[in-house]
């Protein structure tokens, strides 16, 4: 197959709460293996849009498919085919590293054999051999974030959604995390990520920027900088959101 | 007299040394930044400076008052915005402000000039409960509440964490205007790009202060060869450069990689290597360091 397929397609996707359009007819596609940055100011509608895409919130209007499944009719299939990592909730702090992986493997319906295999794979990949029996709560934040990402991919999903995954860690740890994202994208996993770090926006293949419920800009970092005659993504963002 | 003096202060929680022999001072009316990641010890320092935690060893003076022996005097003259949102979620915007003014024996009217600029932005929502505000709005209300008694020293612990780039820029503009009113401000942040907005900064990691100076001097202190490099396949580029003997470190910096080399090397030589590795659309030029380069080099 020469043509790269879209793993997310949204057409005029809309969510209305009362008389407020939280998400106002957004349209975009995300390709397989792409790192797609989903940016916007606080309150622009990002979280509401993500909730519709991952099958947690029913759209008011518009169409969307995720991993080929319809966001109205096939939300269970969507959940089976995506991974999700949020800054607030992901791992159980009072379970060990190994127990967390086992738990999520079970939740996603992996067989015992698959779980065993995945567990050793993840522990080895993250270099956590000597920490597998430690409670997750006792690990440094950067390790937790990398483990949370690995666990979000325990069932080999086509797409992993990440909501501000790198808050609070030092610059070196933040970069190690992004290298995990690159490696996953290199294997063909689609990465859909939100962040407030504008330098991280530059690491994405393409970016969309939401302002007041709409997508006001969409393109590669280079295209957007050209379009807005800006030197950095920070400038692009400020120009868009302040106008 | 300095506004803040931290003299060889240490603090441990059980086996963890959260702050190790920290030492710095902040002048009156200065905008001083504590720059470092989670777990660096920033919040522990803030809690000790604001009299909420007693150091194991060392002394802290705020406007000449000792944080242990004279804590009551200090509490009247400082404003503190903790890292975790600490206003009353079930009180409205207006009620929170009223509450803090009353606690400090003053009125909103008496010091309205200090908060006017910020408060007018959240005034349309004054009847809304604080818990229902957006991140940027909460941050503005918290700043108003920390300012309502006209403090001499303002302590802001990660006021911009998780806040979008526009609100962050606005927040820093407000800090500059407050500084011009003579208030000493000490602020912590994990965003390295905010460091350049302070007059002086302390870089801090795992309880230790690595360097204290103006952002300009800290950047000038970086004397290794540094290049910005990009190519079509970014991930492969990173892998390939990392294996090279001339490479000291290589990291992603926005649309480029920053390559620090062990010794001086020509861009042609690096380019030749990348051509040999089959990279396309190669761009390479020497570049100047940022605070983040210095930080990565120090840790």
């Amino acid at each position: 197959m020469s043509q790269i397929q879209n793993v997310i397609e949204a057409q005029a996707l809309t969510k209305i709460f009362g008389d407020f359009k939280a998400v106002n007819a957004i349209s975009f596609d995300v390709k397989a293996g792409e790192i797609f940055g989903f940016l916007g100011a606080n309150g622009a509608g990002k979280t509401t849009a993500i909730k519709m895409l991952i099958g947690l919130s029913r759209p008011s209007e518009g169409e969307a498919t995720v991993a080929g499944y319809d966001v109205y009719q096939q939300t269970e299939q969507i959940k089976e085919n995506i991974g999700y990592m949020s800054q607030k909730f992901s791992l159980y702090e009072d379970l060990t590293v190994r127990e967390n992986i086992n738990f999520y493997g079970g939740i996603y319906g992996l067989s015992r054999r698959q779980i065993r295999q995945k567990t050793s794979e993840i522990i080895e990949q993250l270099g956590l051999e000597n920490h597998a029996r430690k409670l997750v709560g006792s690990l440094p934040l950067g390790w937790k974030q990398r483990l949370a990402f690995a666990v979000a991919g325990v069932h080999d999903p086509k797409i992993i959604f990440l909501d501000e995954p790198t808050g609070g860690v030092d610059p070196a740890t933040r970069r190690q995390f992004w290298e995990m994202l690159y490696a996953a994208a290199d294997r063909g996993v689609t990465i859909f990520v939100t962040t407030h770090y504008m330098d991280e926006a530059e690491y994405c293949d393409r970016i969309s920027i939401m302002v007041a419920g709409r997508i006001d800009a969409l393109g590669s970092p280079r295209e957007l900088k050209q379009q807005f005659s800006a030197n950095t993504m920070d400038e692009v963002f400020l120009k868009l959101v302040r106008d | 007299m300095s506004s803040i003096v931290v003299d060889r202060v240490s603090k441990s929680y059980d086996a963890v040394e959260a702050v190790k022999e920290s030492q710095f001072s902040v002048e009156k009316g200065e905008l001083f930044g504590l720059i470092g990641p989670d777990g660096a010890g920033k919040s522990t320092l803030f809690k000790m400076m604001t009299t909420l935690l007693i150091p194991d060893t060392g002394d802290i003076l705020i406007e000449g008052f000792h944080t242990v022996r004279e804590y009551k005097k200090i509490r009247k003259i400082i404003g503190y915005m903790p890292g975790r949102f600490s206003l009353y979620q079930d009180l409205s915007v207006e009620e929170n402000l009223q509450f803090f003014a009353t606690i400090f024996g003053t009125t909103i009217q008496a010091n309205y000039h200090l908060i006017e600029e910020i408060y007018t932005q959240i005034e349309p929502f004054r009847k809304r409960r604080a818990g229902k505000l957006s991140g940027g709005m909460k941050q503005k209300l918290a700043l108003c509440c920390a300012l309502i008694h006209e403090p001499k020293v303002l302590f802001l612990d990660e006021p911009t964490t998780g806040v979008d780039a526009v609100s962050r820029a606005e927040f820093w503009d407000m800090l500059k205007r407050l500084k011009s009113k003579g208030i000493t401000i000490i602020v912590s942040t994990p965003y390295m790009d905010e460091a350049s907005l302070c007059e002086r900064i302390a870089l801090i990691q795992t309880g230790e202060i690595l360097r204290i100076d103006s952002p300009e001097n800290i950047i000038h202190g970086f004397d290794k060869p540094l290049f910005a490099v990009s190519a079509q396949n970014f991930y492969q580029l990173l892998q390939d450069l990392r294996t090279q003997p001339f490479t000291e470190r290589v990291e992603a910096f926005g649309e480029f990689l920053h390559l620090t080399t062990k010794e001086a090397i020509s861009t042609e030589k690096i380019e030749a290597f990348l051509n040999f590795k089959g990279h396309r659309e190669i761009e390479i030029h020497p570049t100047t360091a940022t605070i983040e380069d210095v930080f990565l080099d120090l840790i």
Side-chain angles (χ1 to χ4, degrees):
Chain A
M1 212 165 50
S2 63
Q3 201 183 352
I4 298 174
Q5 67 190 108
N6 290 330
V7 291
I8 301 177
E9 291 182 350
Q11 265 306 321
L13 195 64
T14 301
K15 181 78 186 187
I16 304 170
F17 297 111
D19 54 3
F20 175 61
K21 275 193 178 172
V23 175
N24 189 357
I26 59 171
S27 301
F28 65 97
D29 299 328
V30 181
K31 295 181 181 61
E34 189 169 40
I35 301 183
F36 189 82
F38 196 63
L39 310 186
N42 297 117
K46 296 192 301 283
T47 305
T48 307
I50 292 176
K51 279 188 178 163
M52 289 192 279
L53 294 175
I54 64 180
L56 292 181
S57 170
R58 196 183 160 82
S60 307
E61 289 163 21
E63 304 296 327
T65 59
V66 173
Y69 298 105
D70 179 66
V71 293
Y72 291 91
Q73 310 292 340
Q74 298 172 297
T75 54
E76 286 313 304
Q77 287 96 322
I78 289 177
K79 288 171 197 166
E80 285 163 18
N81 282 281
I82 62 164
Y84 178 66
M85 172 185 168
S86 106
Q87 188 181 18
K88 292 191 188 87
F89 169 82
S90 39
L91 302 172
Y92 290 91
E93 303 249 309
D94 49 358
L95 294 183
T96 66
V97 169
R98 188 178 287 278
E99 287 166 345
N100 264 291
I101 305 171
N102 287 345
F103 175 77
Y104 279 98
I107 287 282
Y108 281 111
L110 270 55
S111 69
R112 280 170 193 276
R113 207 173 60 86
Q114 286 172 314
I115 290 176
R116 258 201 312 279
Q117 193 189 336
K118 267 287 169 191
T119 305
S120 31
E121 228 177 79
I122 291 174
I123 288 172
E124 191 195 318
Q125 184 199 348
L126 298 179
L128 288 174
E129 288 88 346
N130 296 323
H131 306 279
R133 289 170 195 286
K134 284 196 182 152
L135 296 185
V136 161
S138 70
L139 300 178
L141 184 61
W143 296 18
K144 278 187 215 168
Q145 289 177 349
R146 277 185 290 161
L147 180 61
F149 178 69
V151 167
V154 72
H155 54 303
D156 291 323
K158 295 194 179 76
I159 312 166
I160 299 182
F161 288 83
L162 302 109
D163 199 359
E164 286 178 45
T166 60
V169 298
D170 69 72
T173 307
R174 216 146 60 76
R175 286 180 172 75
Q176 284 173 352
F177 187 86
W178 271 88
E179 284 186 33
M180 275 187 84
L181 299 191
Y182 286 137
D186 216 44
R187 292 195 306 270
V189 180
T190 306
I191 304 291
F192 187 98
V193 59
T194 74
T195 178
H196 285 313
Y197 291 97
M198 287 300 131
D199 61 330
E200 290 189 346
E202 308 250 12
Y203 305 161
C204 300
D205 297 315
R206 282 189 310 140
I207 298 164
S208 72
I209 302 180
M210 273 188 88
V211 181
R214 306 189 64 94
I215 289 184
D216 276 8
L218 179 67
S220 72
R222 200 161 277 210
E223 285 163 4
L224 292 184
K225 280 184 278 186
Q226 255 166 18
Q227 188 187 335
F228 291 89
S229 338
N231 291 316
T232 62
M233 277 310 298
D234 207 34
E235 280 177 43
V236 173
F237 193 84
L238 293 179
K239 278 190 179 172
L240 253 177
V241 178
R242 277 193 169 155
D243 281 348
Chain B
M1 187 182 70
S2 301
S3 183
I4 303 173
V5 178
V6 174
D7 187 19
R8 283 165 300 162
V9 165
S10 299
K11 180 75 189 178
S12 297
Y13 301 112
D14 297 325
V16 183
E17 252 193 304
V19 173
K20 300 171 197 163
E21 293 269 308
S22 273
Q23 191 157 11
F24 63 88
S25 58
V26 180
E27 297 312 306
K28 278 188 197 294
E30 193 177 11
L31 178 50
F32 188 89
L34 280 178
I35 316 292
D38 259 31
K42 302 189 302 289
S43 295
T44 302
L45 270 169
F46 269 99
K47 284 178 191 156
M48 291 191 287
M49 290 187 287
T50 53
T51 79
L52 300 175
L53 201 59
I54 298 175
D56 294 338
T57 57
D59 297 282
I60 304 174
L61 300 178
I62 306 294
E63 293 285 316
F65 299 119
H66 193 276
T67 53
V68 180
R69 295 192 293 273
E70 298 170 291
Y71 71 93
K72 283 189 178 165
K73 286 181 179 151
I74 292 175
R75 288 182 187 180
K76 290 199 176 76
I77 56 163
I78 63 170
Y80 174 40
M81 189 171 151
R84 185 176 293 208
F85 183 68
S86 302
L87 301 181
Y88 293 92
Q89 312 255 9
D90 48 358
L91 291 186
S92 70
V93 166
E94 207 171 44
E95 286 164 344
N96 264 294
L97 196 57
Q98 187 74 51
F99 174 80
F100 281 95
T102 311
I103 284 283
F104 283 104
T106 181
T107 60
I108 297 176
Q109 290 72 30
N111 293 313
Y112 192 70
H113 63 283
L114 268 180
I115 61 162
E116 186 173 4
E117 221 167 338
I118 313 160
Y119 191 64
T120 48
Q121 296 175 43
I122 50 174
E123 211 168 5
F125 310 97
R126 65 182 189 278
K127 300 281 179 207
R128 192 178 287 187
R129 287 183 184 188
K132 297 275 180 204
L133 295 174
S134 72
M137 296 277 182
K138 277 184 181 167
Q139 173 213 42
K140 282 172 189 153
L141 175 60
L143 183 60
C144 286
C145 290
L147 279 170
I148 196 62
H149 58 299
E150 199 175 9
K152 289 196 166 75
V153 190
L154 192 56
F155 293 89
L156 306 171
D157 192 5
E158 298 209 8
T160 54
T161 295
V163 175
D164 68 66
V166 173
S167 298
R168 288 207 278 137
E170 287 173 3
F171 194 82
W172 279 93
D173 286 343
M174 285 189 274
L175 291 193
K176 274 185 214 153
R177 288 195 291 269
L178 287 173
K179 181 194 138 52
S180 70
K181 290 174 177 153
I183 300 176
T184 305
I185 303 172
I186 179 164
V187 56
S188 68
T189 176
Y191 297 97
M192 298 284 152
D193 57 340
E194 294 184 344
S196 58
L197 302 168
C198 301
E199 286 167 281
R200 282 192 310 139
I201 55 173
L203 297 180
I204 171 168
Q205 165 91 338
T206 54
E208 267 176 284
I209 292 179
L210 305 170
R211 193 154 297 178
I212 304 175
D213 211 331
S214 67
E216 299 76 30
N217 285 345
I218 285 180
I219 286 167
H220 281 309
F222 187 91
D223 54 3
K224 295 174 180 168
L226 185 69
F227 300 90
V229 191
S230 78
Q232 200 181 36
N233 188 336
F234 206 66
Y235 182 56
Q236 195 56 45
L237 180 68
L238 190 63
Q239 308 280 59
D240 286 342
L241 283 171
R242 194 159 282 160
T243 59
Q244 281 314 290
F246 60 72
T247 298
E248 179 166 316
R249 56 187 312 119
V250 55
E251 269 121 4
F253 265 81
E255 65 171 316
F256 291 96
L257 295 176
H258 275 192
L259 168 71
T260 311
T261 57
K262 286 175 183 146
E263 49 207 49
I265 182 172
S266 67
T267 52
E268 289 77 18
K269 199 169 165 191
I270 302 170
E271 192 169 352
F273 162 71
L274 294 176
N275 273 320
F276 169 73
K277 280 286 185 178
H279 282 284
R280 282 181 293 170
E281 297 174 30
I282 301 166
E283 252 182 77
I284 176 161
H285 58 263
T287 191
T288 46
T290 64
I291 294 286
E292 199 152 340
D293 287 292
V294 177
F295 196 89
L296 286 166
D297 191 51
L298 285 172
I299 59 179

